[in-house]
Amino acid sequence: MGVATIGRVSRDNTSTDPKVRAPLVLPGNDYASITDKVCSIVETPRPPKAWYVAFCIAASLTGVLGAVVVYLITTGVGVWGLNKPISWGFDITNFVFWVGIGHAGTLISAILYLFRQKWRTGINRFAEAMTIFAVICALLFPGIHVGRIWLEYWIAPLPNQMSMWPNFRSPLLWDFFAVGTYFTVSLCFWYMGLIPDLATVRDRAQGKVRQIAYGILALGWTGSNRHWHRYERAYLLLAALATPLVLSVHSIVSFDFATSMLPGWHATIFPPYFVAGAIFGGFAMVLLLAVPCRQWFGLKDVITPRHLENMCKIVLATGMMVGYAYAIEFFIAWYSGNPTEGFVFINRAFGPYAWAYWTMVFCNVATPQVFWSRRARSNPWIIFGVALCVNVGMWFERFVIIVTTLSRDFLPSSWNSYTPTWVEIATLAGSFGLFFTLFLLFLRFLPMVAMAEVKAIMPAPHDPVRR
Amino acid sequence: MKPVPADQPKVWGLLAEFANPADLKEAAEAIRNAGYTRWDAHTPFPVHGLDHAMGIKPTRLPYVVLAAALTGAVGGLLMQWWMNAIDYPIIISGKPFNSLPADIPVTFELTVLLASLTAFVGMLIANALPRFHHPLFASAPFRRVTTDAFFLAIEAEDPRFDLAETKTLLLGARATRVFPVEG
């Protein structure tokens, strides 16, 4: 691409003309400029002011999280507003919410890889980082909600003082294996993708400390083609393994509910419904992070309007699947002829938690509909707004499922209502603090775009004139 | 390899730079056809067709991963059967002690876990990584290999290696420059 043509090429690569292959990296870039753009973010002595402001807020919230978790552990789970019959509230809502967020990262890194969706390369790195940090936040909640956390190792199949083994017929134990495996595999996948890019940062490092730190992290990568050969094969295998894994994780999370006998939970639609919701909420979170990041760190050439548009389309599609699941739940509640089931759903929509239900429906079903319009899909403000709405909506979805069912049991004498205490609200806010603290540190110290993968999908430089 | 006079620094090999992936691929074919064995290409990203040009045999990693996956599946099933049906039988909802359907989720997760860890660790072991010292790291131009440079490195240990002849071969294969690496 000659310099003269660059000025005439549109910066908008969202064209749907099937005759033209839209560029995945905007024109005017070569291998070196990609490295410069991505590496300068981690090399600059001073990140943008917005980074400092965001980091201060996030780190303070993480401090709050630490304090309330210590308070919870030293005092007991009574500091939460949970009691019979509502023994799950904010804790499990937050757990399911955060695990769900992670799913988009794995979908982008593994499923889109298997389907040869080359546009994934611009966004997969930070989406995978988002997965890791979201799963850390998710693991926190089951970790602290058990009360006596020092006996947590009883979950693992380890010999213990009671000479007992875990009950492998419990979905809660399946959950431990599913989320634990998910975290480990996501971490391997993410780190493996990082190795070549860490080597790039190592090779450009100026100071001794940076050279040694990135040198150790890059594991001595030399870009050897014999290494690339095994690396690519291992990456493909990990993608092939992560694909069924990610579908299994939220399915197993949904078994926590679906295998119980409670009305509103005991439904066969739960696994696909939960997986669609997880991808929906996760993509919204990727958009929520991508829109400001590409602005602040000058990555608009790599995370292009087309990337955002594609993600908006996925949000629209998965949002409609979620909407369909909401409708089918109601249909089955009526069609089953089970009066308790019917009552639970009428109560969800028109009972004391109707405000939460309609917030969920508005955020998850109504707002993504704006993405039918191409103008909305290419306006970062609208994308950010819808992504925010979807995240709120997906949190409320889990809240509605958990609380409406538990608060209206089979026996009216045991009905109750649930109000979170300040400790629960602070823990939720703190989990966002932890997530954003980790994410901001990632942006500061690790390459946020998979440079090697982006270069592999760029057109090769022209051959020099043959002699 | 011909003996090196004592007053010259020991040469680890020759490093040749190429302008683009297409030239590198052609050069790789030339080096392979010339019968070299201890050599490698170094690129910022995996170049399509380079494996074939270099004559790299497919890695056996997938078979190792398959073995790990089967170990995870069989091990997971045996563990749950032994723990819940043999060593400490627990009655849950009147279900049989050895209830296979309930064992599937954990079996699946262990299969994926073992296979994934094997793919990752197996790749590192097969590539002899981590390796924190390499003669190429001492070469300043080589630092651009992780940005935009395409290199071919031939080790002096290669039986066909000859400083002058190999250099001529590389230059003839359209290398933009060829220089020795000490080590």
Side-chain angles (χ1 to χ4, degrees):
Chain A
M1 170 94 29
V3 178
T5 57
I6 292 167
R8 284 191 277 116
V9 175
S10 168
R11 308 289 289 169
D12 177 14
N13 61 345
T14 58
S15 154
T16 49
D17 183 356
K19 296 197 293 291
V20 185
R21 185 175 282 271
L24 293 171
V25 177
L26 289 190
N29 282 294
D30 56 17
Y31 299 146
S33 76
I34 294 295
T35 297
D36 280 339
K37 278 186 181 147
V38 177
C39 286
S40 63
I41 300 167
V42 296
E43 285 163 355
T44 175
R46 285 183 183 284
K49 272 210 183 70
W51 187 90
Y52 282 107
V53 174
F55 188 76
C56 281
I57 298 170
S60 314
L61 282 174
T62 311
V64 170
L65 176 69
V68 290
V69 168
V70 168
Y71 177 57
L72 170 84
I73 292 168
T74 52
T75 315
V77 280
V79 301
W80 286 351
L82 300 172
N83 210 329
K84 289 291 169 194
I86 303 161
S87 43
W88 279 358
F90 264 41
D91 52 351
I92 301 302
T93 302
N94 298 341
F95 163 70
V96 181
F97 172 77
W98 280 119
V99 175
I101 293 295
H103 279 50
T106 317
L107 183 108
I108 291 168
S109 61
I111 300 183
L112 295 187
Y113 181 80
L114 293 184
F115 284 123
R116 297 278 182 267
Q117 294 293 305
K118 291 182 174 173
W119 60 276
R120 76 183 260 289
T121 56
I123 50 171
N124 74 329
R125 171 67 42 74
F126 75 88
E128 285 171 39
M130 175 197 82
T131 295
I132 309 274
F133 306 145
V135 176
I136 289 174
C137 289
L139 283 168
L140 174 78
F141 287 97
I144 58 175
H145 94 307
V146 294
R148 289 178 286 173
I149 65 155
W150 46 93
L151 297 179
E152 216 143 58
Y153 65 96
W154 284 359
I155 305 170
L158 294 170
N160 58 41
Q161 66 273 44
M162 304 175 297
S163 297
M164 278 174 75
W165 298 111
N167 168 25
F168 285 102
R169 277 159 283 186
S170 162
L172 301 179
L173 192 71
W174 304 345
D175 229 15
F176 164 75
F177 277 87
V179 183
T181 301
Y182 184 46
F183 180 71
T184 316
V185 173
S186 300
L187 195 64
C188 281
F189 205 30
W190 181 63
Y191 186 68
M192 196 172 144
L194 265 169
I195 292 172
D197 289 350
L198 287 166
T200 309
V201 182
R202 170 200 67 195
D203 289 348
R204 287 166 56 100
Q206 296 298 329
K208 202 84 200 156
V209 177
R210 291 180 73 88
Q211 276 173 350
I212 293 173
Y214 287 109
I216 290 171
L217 288 174
L219 305 179
W221 183 258
T222 59
S224 150
N225 197 54
R226 293 178 199 279
H227 289 185
W228 275 124
H229 170 72
R230 300 189 189 100
Y231 177 95
E232 283 208 289
R233 189 43 59 109
Y235 201 82
L236 179 66
L237 287 170
L238 276 181
L241 289 163
T243 297
L245 174 67
V246 67
L247 300 179
S248 85
V249 172
H250 231 55
S251 298
I252 290 179
V253 169
S254 81
F255 291 164
D256 290 347
F257 302 95
T259 57
S260 72
M261 291 296 163
L262 286 167
W265 287 6
H266 189 60
T268 48
I269 197 177
F270 261 41
Y273 162 31
F274 267 49
V275 171
I279 290 165
F280 175 57
F283 264 94
M285 185 61 98
V286 175
L287 282 169
L288 205 63
L289 299 170
V291 168
C293 280
R294 68 196 278 274
Q295 176 73 38
W296 291 346
F297 298 109
L299 287 172
K300 288 183 175 176
D301 287 3
V302 184
I303 305 168
T304 66
R306 192 176 186 85
H307 289 90
L308 298 184
E309 199 195 8
N310 284 349
M311 287 193 275
C312 291
K313 286 175 181 168
I314 294 181
V315 166
L316 177 61
T318 47
M320 306 236 288
M321 290 182 205
V322 168
Y324 172 76
Y326 297 161
I328 282 293
E329 275 191 317
F330 264 84
F331 171 75
I332 294 296
W334 166 76
Y335 188 66
S336 67
N338 180 333
T340 324
E341 189 82 9
F343 164 75
V344 160
F345 279 90
I346 298 293
N347 179 59
R348 247 184 216 183
F350 304 105
Y353 292 101
W355 60 274
Y357 181 82
W358 292 107
T359 307
M360 165 190 104
V361 170
F362 173 76
C363 290
N364 290 352
V365 183
T367 56
Q369 302 305 321
V370 303
F371 284 152
W372 286 105
S373 146
R374 184 159 160 242
R375 188 176 295 184
R377 293 196 305 264
S378 47
N379 182 326
W381 290 102
I382 294 179
I383 296 175
F384 190 83
V386 171
L388 203 61
C389 266
V390 169
N391 272 302
V392 171
M394 283 312 293
W395 188 88
F396 270 104
E397 180 193 299
R398 282 68 179 248
F399 181 82
V400 165
I401 291 172
I402 291 170
V403 174
T404 57
T405 286
L406 289 176
S407 65
R408 291 292 179 270
D409 203 343
F410 296 103
L411 274 180
S413 62
S414 57
W415 287 1
N416 208 337
S417 68
Y418 166 67
T419 315
T421 62
W422 66 269
V423 182
E424 284 165 293
I425 294 165
T427 315
L428 171 62
S431 72
F432 275 93
L434 175 64
F435 175 76
F436 282 107
T437 304
L438 293 169
F439 195 77
L440 289 160
L441 288 173
F442 156 75
L443 292 178
R444 182 80 188 94
F445 295 108
L446 295 172
M448 65 171 281
V449 170
M451 293 179 278
E453 290 191 44
V454 169
K455 288 173 192 168
I457 56 142
M458 286 172 74
H462 283 291
D463 292 353
V465 181
R466 293 290 158 106
R467 288 183 286 268
Chain B
M1 183 191 168
K2 292 177 182 168
V4 183
D7 57 333
Q8 280 179 19
K10 195 167 168 284
V11 172
W12 173 80
L14 276 175
L15 191 60
E17 187 171 352
F18 292 85
N20 55 54
D23 281 0
L24 177 73
K25 245 185 285 186
E26 279 182 35
E29 270 175 11
I31 299 296
R32 185 196 66 189
N33 291 341
Y36 286 87
T37 46
R38 300 205 49 174
W39 62 290
D40 207 340
H42 297 266
T43 56
F45 54 85
V47 173
H48 282 289
L50 191 55
D51 291 352
H52 180 71
M54 286 177 68
I56 297 177
K57 288 196 203 84
T59 170
R60 280 174 313 222
L61 193 61
Y63 299 102
V64 182
V65 172
L66 177 66
L70 292 174
T71 310
V74 174
L77 273 179
L78 285 178
M79 175 183 80
Q80 295 175 77
W81 165 74
W82 181 73
M83 286 179 181
N84 275 184
I86 304 294
D87 194 49
Y88 199 97
I90 316 170
I91 299 170
I92 303 288
S93 320
K95 295 191 181 82
F97 290 127
N98 185 27
S99 37
L100 185 65
D103 290 351
I104 295 300
V106 171
T107 305
F108 172 77
E109 300 301 335
L110 288 175
T111 308
V112 170
L113 181 66
L114 234 69
S116 303
L117 287 175
T118 307
F120 177 63
V121 177
M123 181 275 291
L124 289 180
I125 292 173
N127 284 343
L129 294 175
R131 175 182 178 181
F132 294 113
H133 177 266
H134 196 289
L136 285 171
F137 288 150
S139 160
F142 189 72
R143 289 198 191 140
R144 278 194 20 256
V145 74
T146 48
T147 296
D148 60 351
F150 300 88
F151 288 104
L152 231 161
I154 303 183
E155 290 178 39
E157 294 285 318
D158 192 295
R160 290 188 161 269
F161 185 85
D162 177 275
L163 206 53
E165 270 176 42
T166 307
K167 188 169 178 173
T168 317
L169 177 67
L170 286 166
L171 284 170
R174 271 207 297 280
T176 51
R177 54 174 172 166
V178 179
F179 45 92
V181 175
E182 293 168 12

